[in-house]
Amino acid sequence: MRDVEQDHDEETPYECFACGKVITAESQPENCQDCGGEMRNRLTPLE
C-alpha cells in the first residue's frame, strides 16, 4: 500500500462519522456543521 502524498495547500475531502456529510476544506474541521459529529479525512484508509 502506498501513502498518499498530501499537498497542504489543496482542499481535502472530510466525512462525518455520524451523518455521512462530506465537505472539502484546507484544514480538518473539528465537528460536522450539520450534526456536530466527528469528521475524518477521507484520504486516510480505515483499518
Side-chain angles (χ1 to χ4, degrees):
M1 180 184 300
R2 296 184 203 167
D3 290 335
V4 175
E5 291 185 26
Q6 294 185 9
D7 182 356
H8 295 288
D9 293 334
E10 291 184 14
E11 290 191 340
T12 303
Y14 295 93
E15 180 178 13
C16 176
F17 276 115
C19 71
K21 178 178 177 139
V22 176
I23 64 166
T24 55
E26 288 185 13
S27 61
Q28 179 156 355
E30 293 192 22
N31 295 319
C32 177
Q33 297 170 352
D34 287 351
C35 73
E38 183 181 348
M39 301 292 285
R40 75 168 186 95
N41 183 332
R42 294 190 79 201
L43 298 179
T44 303
L46 294 176
E47 292 186 34

